[in-house]
Amino acid sequence: MYRASTATLSSAPSPGLRPFPLRLALATRREFAPGDREIDVPELHRYFADLSRGHDIGFRPGRVTRARGNPFLAMARELLAGQLSGERIDLAIVAHAAPEFDPRLSAPVNLTAVLPGNPLVFSVSGQGSLAPFAALRIAGSYVRRHDYRRVLVLIMDQGVTPYDVPDRIGDAATALLFEAGGRRTVRVGYEPEVALDALPEFEPAETVVIGRGLAGAGAWPGAIVAPPEFPCTGLWAPLADGPATGPVLLADYDPRRGALGICVVAESD
């Protein structure tokens, strides 16, 4: 069991890109066919009704009856099967924009027992497509403070909800494993308050992938645009394609929050 230490206040992160204290050892991603888990039980009908009461989010009770989906836990277990050694993982963070399909299954609680070493596991959400950038920033802070040696960041998309959603979202999972002996260096920046007309200049990179927030703003013409049906995992797909010939720059902007995320991944010397 992980036991947290006394909470302390930390200073705000410095602007710009900051090196992640461990190196990227593994990047893997998988898209999933529609799932078969059901949530048509009385307690979840009540749960979703209570959760949406007073909020104009287009709750549709019939969707709970018909819903079939993939929980984060199931996707994570399938993605990681055969990918991890038995070496201890110190920290795992689950980053997602869409809500968990089945709220009875907490991915962090269950992954604590599944992953080697019974690590600290928690989720980062409420940041839209920038949740992975926030997760990396937080993970880096934990590594520096606790001298962690092995960290896992899981990025999740799932598209089955009992609410109206503006876009179709697919089911996918990405895993980023960081170790001292990894082969790729990572630098991460997360700016919570950036005006659209004050976006910083990006550094040159062999491959540039941007999310639809930046694409919609007309930033970086000619860059690869991540598929909109995978708002969290799509941007990170090139990392799972194997080593690139040069640095890979990943970036997205959330105009509603005014937040910018940037990550540069490069082969180490």
Side-chain angles (χ1 to χ4, degrees), residues 5-161:
S5 59
T6 304
T8 59
L9 294 177
S10 60
S11 59
S14 57
L17 293 172
R18 187 173 187 183
F20 195 86
L22 299 173
R23 293 186 175 186
L24 183 63
L26 170 71
T28 184
R29 180 177 181 271
R30 178 176 171 184
E31 296 177 12
F32 292 83
D36 56 7
R37 186 173 179 86
E38 301 180 9
I39 53 174
D40 184 20
V41 294
E43 58 266 29
L44 287 185
H45 279 270
R46 293 193 298 269
Y47 170 83
F48 289 118
D50 290 344
L51 194 66
S52 60
R53 187 172 293 117
H55 303 280
D56 185 19
I57 57 176
F59 172 57
R60 301 290 185 264
R63 292 182 182 173
V64 180
T65 304
R66 300 188 301 271
R68 305 289 186 276
N70 290 304
F72 290 157
L73 178 63
M75 290 192 288
R77 296 187 73 160
E78 289 191 38
L79 177 68
L80 295 173
Q83 297 283 355
L84 301 177
S85 68
E87 185 180 351
R88 172 187 173 86
I89 291 176
D90 298 299
L91 169 70
I93 301 180
V94 182
H96 57 97
E100 171 65 272
F101 169 71
D102 188 341
R104 298 170 298 180
L105 289 177
S106 168
V109 169
N110 286 278
L111 285 171
T112 297
V114 170
L115 295 173
N118 303 117
L120 168 66
V121 188
F122 56 87
S123 291
V124 172
S125 61
Q127 304 295 311
S129 63
L130 300 189
F133 296 95
L136 287 170
R137 187 191 70 179
I138 294 168
S141 296
Y142 269 83
V143 172
R144 295 182 190 97
R145 181 179 179 188
H146 298 286
D147 195 28
Y148 286 158
R149 309 304 298 166
R150 205 162 186 241
V151 169
L152 178 68
V153 174
L154 288 165
I155 306 170
M156 315 297 279
D157 281 318
Q158 79 83 23
V160 181
T161 73

Side-chain angles (χ1 to χ4, degrees), residues 123-243:
S123 291
V124 172
S125 61
Q127 304 295 311
S129 63
L130 300 189
F133 296 95
L136 287 170
R137 187 191 70 179
I138 294 168
S141 296
Y142 269 83
V143 172
R144 295 182 190 97
R145 181 179 179 188
H146 298 286
D147 195 28
Y148 286 158
R149 309 304 298 166
R150 205 162 186 241
V151 169
L152 178 68
V153 174
L154 288 165
I155 306 170
M156 315 297 279
D157 281 318
Q158 79 83 23
V160 181
T161 73
Y163 314 110
D164 288 339
V165 292
D167 304 299
R168 178 191 174 275
I169 299 177
D171 292 1
T174 296
L176 305 176
L177 178 67
F178 296 89
E179 301 173 342
R183 295 188 57 184
R184 289 188 272 184
T185 62
V186 175
R187 291 178 293 142
V188 183
Y190 182 90
E191 306 290 345
E193 297 180 359
V194 180
L196 189 58
D197 59 359
L199 293 175
E201 292 289 333
F202 295 146
E203 64 182 66
E206 184 73 20
T207 303
V208 178
V209 187
I210 61 175
R212 61 179 177 174
L214 283 175
W220 206 280
I224 300 170
V225 179
E229 63 268 28
F230 298 108
C232 268
T233 63
L235 186 71
W236 306 84
L239 299 184
D241 294 337

